[in-house]
Amino acid sequence: MKIFNTMTRQKEEFVPVDKNEVKIYACGPTVYNYIHIGNARPLCVFDVLRRYLEYRGMNVKFVQNFTDVDDKIIKRANEEGISFEEVSKKYIEEFWTDAHGLNFKDATVHPKATENIDEIIEIIKTLEDKGYAYAVDGDVYFRTLKFKEYGKLSHQPIEDLQSGARIAVGEKKEDPLDFALWKAAKEGEPYWDSPWGKGRPGWHIECSAMNRRYLGKTIDIHCGGQDLIFPHHENEIAQSECANGCTFSKYWMHNGYINVDNVKMSKSLGNFKTVREIANVYGYEVIRYFLISSHYRSPINYSLDIIEQCQSALDRLYTCRESLDFALKNAKDVEDDTDLINQLNSRREQFITAMDDDLNTADGLAAIFDLVKDINTKILDKEVSKNVCQTACTVFDELCDVLGILYNRKSNDIDSEIESLIEQRQQARANKDWATADKIRDDLKARGIILKDTPQGVTWTKE
C-alpha cells in the first residue's frame, strides 16, 4: 500500500515500524459542541483506513483523543453556569451518538487530556531540562527556534512563520513563535498542581503525551484534518522529537477541506453544518457515504443536491443486495459458472488496487458499483448456482464492510406477515382469483411494500 505522506509530499510505500502492530493516532474533537461535517470527515476517512489495514490482515492499535479541557470548553461552561466537566461529559456523549450513527468503530483507546496530566507534566519537565522549554510567571513556553527542523511538516520557511507570529497581550514569550506548553490558571478556571504552579496544559502538548503513553515514542501514522498541519501537528513534532530524541511519526495523512454550496465551511461565515442536523433529515449513513465518496485529500462540496445523489447511490446498493439475498434463497441446482465466479472475485482485486493507492475510496466505490452491474446483468433474473450467488454476497459484503456502508440492512429473514401475504397472493393467482391477488398487492403498496414478479419468484422492497 502507498500513502501520500504530508511530510515528504509524495506517495510512499507503507512499511510499519513493527510488522506485528500498526500504530495510528487520530486527533479527536474538542468537546464543547456537536460535531460538524468537518469533524466527521476525518472520523469516517481514518475509520476506513483502520478497517482496510485490518482487512489486509494487519493488527491495528488506533488511538483517538478527546480534548476535554480548553478555552472553548471553559467559555461554554461559564456561559451555561456549569462546570467544564459537565460540558465535556455532555458533548462526549453527543459525540458517541453521532460517531456510532456514522458507523465509526470505537478506537482501541479514547484517552482524555484530563486523564493524562501526569504524562503531560513529565514531558514538559523533560523539555525544560533539555533547554527546549522555559517558565515565566507560571506559564511554560516551547523555544521554537531551538528546534532547527521547525516547519518541516508545513513546508514553511522559518522566516515566513516569523513574519506572521505575534505576542498576545499578557504573554511573556522570548520569541513570537514560541507556544504554550502549560498555562497558569486564571481566576475561576480549572487547574492542576504542577512544578510551575496551578495551571492546565496547552492544546498541543496533550497529543504528544497521549501518543507516547498509549503508542510509544515513534508511531506509524498520525492523521487529521488539513487545518491541523500548522500549527498543531507542527508543534507536536517539535515537542515530541525534542523530548524523545527520535522520529515522532513515519507517515502523516491529512484530509481536505469541506465547502458548503461551493464556499469554504467556516463558523465565522455561519455556514457550518452539524452532523446531527443533517442526520435528523437524511439519516447518518448518507453522510458517511458522502464523506468517503471522494478521495480523502480532495476538497469536497456539501449541498442538498449532492446529499440526495448519495442517497440514490445507497438506495441502488441496498436494492441490489436485497435482490441478491432473494436470488440466493431461490437459486437453482445448476452447474457453476466458473468464469462468472472469477469475474466476481476480480472485483475484490480491483477494490484492493484502488485502496492500495493512497486509500482511494472513490475508485473503491467504483469497484463495488462494477460488482453491482455484474450482479444485475449476470445473476438477477438468471438461472445461476447457489455458489455463484454466495460468491457475489461474500465479495459485496466484504467490500462494503471495509468502507463501513450498508450497515442498516434489514434482517435476512423476511417479515413473517409480509411473507404470509405474498404466499396468499401467489395462491390467489394460482386459483385465478385476480381480485384477491390485486387487493393484497395494493394493501402492501399502501404500506410502502412494492412487489416485483421475477422468474425466481416475488421480490419486495420498501419505498
Side-chain angles (χ1 to χ4, degrees), residues 1-172:
M1 181 182 188
K2 289 190 174 181
I3 290 174
F4 184 88
N5 189 350
T6 307
M7 180 71 75
T8 61
R9 289 188 171 180
Q10 62 185 13
K11 290 181 185 178
E12 298 177 2
E13 196 71 33
F14 176 61
V15 181
V17 176
D18 180 350
K19 65 180 181 180
N20 296 315
E21 184 176 65
V22 178
K23 298 176 180 179
I24 302 176
Y25 186 92
C27 284
T30 300
V31 284
Y32 70 100
N33 206 341
Y34 296 97
I35 62 170
H36 53 69
I37 54 174
N39 305 132
R41 190 177 192 190
L43 196 70
C44 293
V45 163
F46 300 120
D47 178 62
V48 171
L49 172 66
R50 181 233 190 129
R51 287 170 179 263
Y52 182 65
L53 293 176
E54 291 176 339
Y55 173 67
R56 296 303 303 276
M58 300 182 195
N59 179 34
V60 179
K61 188 171 185 181
F62 186 80
V63 176
Q64 184 184 55
N65 74 300
F66 289 115
T67 296
D68 61 339
V69 61
D70 173 88
D71 290 341
K72 294 173 183 175
I73 296 172
I74 295 169
K75 181 174 183 291
R76 172 60 65 92
N78 291 336
E79 289 171 350
E80 297 186 9
I82 57 179
S83 68
F84 86 94
E85 292 99 335
E86 290 175 284
V87 171
S88 60
K89 182 176 184 293
K90 172 185 176 180
Y91 287 108
I92 286 174
E93 291 172 354
E94 299 295 357
F95 166 86
W96 284 122
T97 297
D98 291 333
H100 290 153
L102 292 167
N103 201 27
F104 172 77
K105 288 178 63 176
D106 291 6
T108 313
V109 187
H110 280 282
K112 302 180 182 71
T114 57
E115 296 171 342
N116 290 274
I117 299 299
D118 290 345
E119 181 73 19
I120 289 168
I121 290 173
E122 183 181 338
I123 291 182
I124 297 174
K125 285 169 64 179
T126 299
L127 290 170
E128 189 177 38
D129 291 343
K130 288 185 173 184
Y132 287 105
Y134 60 95
V136 183
D137 296 337
D139 293 326
V140 184
Y141 296 100
F142 182 85
R143 284 193 175 95
T144 302
L145 295 181
K146 189 174 175 62
F147 180 55
K148 301 304 181 185
E149 295 182 278
Y150 193 79
K152 65 180 179 178
L153 181 67
S154 55
H155 301 277
Q156 298 185 67
I158 199 72
E159 296 80 12
D160 292 351
L161 295 173
Q162 286 176 312
S163 66
R166 298 288 183 272
I167 297 179
V169 175
E171 291 184 320
K172 299 178 181 180

Side-chain angles (χ1 to χ4, degrees), residues 123 204-212 235-236 239-240 248:
I123 291 182
H204 313 297
I205 193 66
E206 65 179 73
C207 288
S208 288
M210 288 184 274
N211 262 289
R212 191 169 82 172
N235 291 352
E236 277 190 67
Q239 297 163 164
S240 295
F248 178 35

